[in-house]
Amino acid sequence: MQIASPRFIVSSLLLALSAMPATAQIVERPRPAGWERLVPGGRFMDRFEASAQIGELTSECWGGDNVKPRDVRNGIEEPEYSYWGGNITKVDGKYHLFVSRWKESSPKGHMFWRNSEIAHAVSSRPDGDFKVVGVLGMGHNPELFRCKDGSWAVYCIDKSSAAHLYRAASVDGPWSYERMKLDLDGKKMIEGESNFSFCTRPDGSVLAVCRGGGIWLSEDGLKPFVRKSEGRVYPDVAGRFEDPVIWRDETQYHIIVNDWLGRVAWKLVSPDGFSWTTLPGEAYTPGIAKVRANDGIVSNEWFKYERMRVLQDGYGRVIQANFAVIDCVKWDDHENDIHSSKNITIPVNPGRRVETFKRTRRGWEARIKCERNFDSKTDVDVDSLLLGPQSMVAFGAGVKPIGTAEAAGDLVVIFPPVELDSPVVELLGKEKDGRLFYATCRTDGAKLGFFKYPR
């Protein structure tokens, strides 16, 4: 038996869409044929979980009834400011958020965003209660990343959407401001310099993706970013793409990119950061913000979810996402009205770690690591597991376990010795308490190491 990773050619599955006016805020995108057959856990969106309640839910706040009551202490919000974008990073035991903001009373309301400033907010917890401790200067769509020498950079765009960097030796500043150096290497720019996202590679180099879907690389985050891809790496489908986010874990590289007009995001993966494959299923759509309140689950129906960014654990797994959200059409948010925007956080099921994945005489052996509050020997519903390429197990296809063993206190699940023509495969199923179980493995047994920054 052979399981091959199919070429997921989304363009042949998606219905053609007519062009929409640039000022439109929503169009219903038909989903690719077959997506209705995705199993639980087959979409990245299935990994979002309900947020813990930080403060009391209240309706004494700005916004339409669609976002009330809500936990105003989740993420960051203030009645006098509109917040947008930003990513959260843990440094020395504290969580730092670099986020753009402008006065809610500003002329043109939300459309004043080109005049925003970048605020530095800090919290003792990852999901909220962020308080502003300083302002770097003017800029929009900030993202913090770290360079090979241990210094920090905050990417942003100015009023003309030109890319700049704030740089500092410490995450607390002081910050200097400079033009971001881009080397096209003879290629054409795709959709300007906005919406860059960054991740550090094992050798300390910094990989980036721009709004247009081009891949860039800097040797150390200090030298110019050189364009590496010829064209965009996004799926070849109808979409107004923006706000990509890129990250890396032990197994592979990831991109999620948002179709702001269709209000649906797409997920891509890569074994090396340069060759990308689109996975089936929505990465996110409106409706994912839920709070685990005292009397049950409460949903806040934000109109737009944009600028997704991720918070990772020590193994690179995404444990939380944060979004810029607004309660209405952007052009309906005026100065001194009830509408505004903020940054919210949503917990993400990080999946489980596979310590080793190798082929033996018994078959493919996956050693699932125990960790805090998780004992793989007792907590995994082994009979529910499937193994195969990610784009196959998403539809419930793959091979089932043929046995189990134990190694140094961890569960080893044994699968048939089939041919796996894919650099990365996934285990998908559930845990005995009903929670989604998933883990990814390299078929070559390799792991992407983590670069140690100088202190």
Side-chain angles (χ1 to χ4, degrees):
M1 176 183 180
Q2 181 174 2
I3 297 180
S5 179
R7 296 182 182 273
F8 191 72
I9 307 175
V10 183
S11 57
S12 65
L13 302 175
L14 194 63
L15 297 176
L17 292 170
S18 60
M20 297 294 294
T23 56
Q25 278 286 289
I26 180 172
V27 62
E28 294 299 329
R29 301 283 195 203
R31 300 302 194 254
W35 278 19
E36 72 279 1
R37 299 195 306 272
L38 290 165
V39 300
R43 308 175 300 174
F44 184 90
M45 193 168 75
D46 297 334
R47 303 177 187 181
F48 291 109
E49 300 180 331
S51 300
Q53 190 174 335
I54 305 174
E56 293 297 320
L57 302 188
T58 180
S59 294
E60 299 300 316
C61 52
W62 57 260
D65 292 341
N66 53 313
V67 295
K68 295 179 181 179
R70 70 173 180 273
D71 186 352
V72 298
R73 292 169 63 184
N74 177 284
I76 186 170
E77 75 169 89
E78 295 176 291
E80 64 268 33
Y81 281 101
S82 294
Y83 283 94
W84 201 253
N87 63 317
I88 299 170
T89 303
K90 186 178 183 181
V91 184
D92 297 331
K94 293 183 179 180
Y95 295 90
H96 297 258
L97 167 64
F98 290 83
V99 60
S100 59
R101 68 176 186 176
W102 57 95
K103 288 282 190 179
E104 201 281 327
S105 59
S106 300
K108 299 182 180 180
H110 188 89
M111 293 301 110
F112 196 76
W113 63 264
R114 290 188 183 275
N115 301 280
S116 60
E117 64 184 12
I118 298 175
H120 176 196
V122 176
S123 177
S124 60
R125 56 187 298 160
D127 53 352
D129 261 353
F130 282 91
K131 305 300 180 185
V132 173
V133 297
V135 174
L136 278 64
M138 302 300 290
H140 193 66
N141 285 350
E143 180 170 332
L144 176 74
F145 66 91
R146 204 164 192 188
C147 302
K148 187 173 183 177
D149 67 352
S151 65
W152 295 92
V154 175
Y155 160 86
C156 66
I157 56 172
D158 64 11
K159 288 184 179 182
S160 66
S161 295
H164 287 74
L165 296 171
Y166 286 94
R167 292 192 182 275
S170 165
V171 74
D172 295 312
W175 299 91
S176 62
Y177 186 65
E178 66 182 48
R179 187 78 161 86
M180 184 176 175
K181 299 179 179 63
L182 299 173
D183 181 353
L184 286 167
D185 193 27
K187 305 174 181 69
K188 292 183 179 180
M189 193 71 190
I190 310 177
E191 295 188 32
E193 302 177 6
S194 62
N195 295 179
F196 267 77
S197 182
F198 308 84
C199 75
T200 304
R201 292 166 57 83
D203 62 358
S205 61
V206 180
L207 194 70
V209 59
C210 64
R211 175 184 177 130
I215 300 297
W216 304 71
L217 183 69
S218 169
E219 292 181 17
D220 54 9
L222 301 167
K223 295 178 181 178
F225 282 84
V226 181
R227 173 77 176 277
K228 294 298 182 181
S229 64
E230 289 294 333
R232 72 177 195 171
V233 299
Y234 297 156
D236 185 17
V237 300
R240 300 287 184 86
F241 291 115
E242 67 172 7
D243 294 344
V245 57
I246 188 170
W247 75 93
R248 173 178 60 85
D249 58 23
E250 289 182 300
T251 306
Q252 59 189 338
Y253 292 82
H254 307 257
I255 287 177
I256 287 178
V257 62
N258 182 38
D259 170 9
W260 65 265
L261 185 60
R263 299 194 305 168
V264 58
W266 296 73
K267 176 76 188 299
L268 301 93
V269 291
S270 170
D272 57 9
F274 299 102
S275 176
W276 293 88
T277 299
T278 301
L279 295 183
E282 300 91 340
Y284 64 85
T285 64
I288 56 176
K290 304 179 186 301
V291 180
R292 189 179 298 105
N294 296 329
D295 55 352
I297 302 297
V298 175
S299 297
N300 292 141
E301 300 301 327
W302 297 100
F303 179 75
K304 283 277 192 180
Y305 290 74
E306 297 185 357
R307 303 296 301 162
M308 175 184 171
R309 292 298 180 261
V310 297
L311 177 65
Q312 297 171 260
D313 69 6
Y315 303 106
R317 297 178 298 183
V318 173
I319 58 176
Q320 176 182 285
N322 61 293
F323 293 89
V325 292
I326 187 169
D327 65 315
C328 66
V329 174
K330 291 179 181 179
W331 281 274
D332 289 344
D333 176 15
H334 305 293
E335 66 269 27
N336 298 317
D337 64 359
I338 68 168
H339 302 298
S340 192
S341 57
K342 65 170 292 184
N343 194 291
I344 65 167
T345 65
I346 302 177
V348 176
N349 181 333
R352 300 302 181 183
R353 297 181 62 226
V354 172
E355 177 68 17
T356 57
F357 182 72
K358 59 184 179 181
R359 185 173 180 174
T360 69
R361 288 180 296 178
R362 296 189 294 186
W364 287 100
E365 299 187 9
R367 177 183 168 186
I368 303 172
K369 288 291 294 179
C370 294
E371 52 190 303
R372 184 179 180 182
N373 299 322
F374 172 73
D375 187 332
S376 58
K377 299 185 302 299
T378 59
D379 295 345
V380 178
D381 182 354
V382 175
D383 291 337
S384 73
L385 296 182
L386 284 172
L387 171 71
Q390 298 165 92
S391 55
M392 289 186 64
V393 296
F395 291 96
V399 293
K400 302 288 291 182
I402 57 174
T404 61
E406 184 178 332
D410 296 325
L411 172 69
V412 176
V413 182
I414 306 168
F415 294 90
V418 295
E419 295 298 323
L420 294 172
D421 184 19
S422 176
V424 176
V425 292
E426 183 171 1
L427 280 71
L428 182 64
K430 60 183 180 179
E431 298 179 10
K432 289 186 177 177
D433 63 1
R435 190 185 191 202
L436 170 67
F437 174 94
Y438 72 93
T440 54
C441 324
R442 298 278 295 220
T443 53
D444 58 9
K447 284 185 180 294
L448 299 179
F450 277 79
F451 178 76
K452 302 296 183 182
Y453 299 101
R455 300 188 66 83

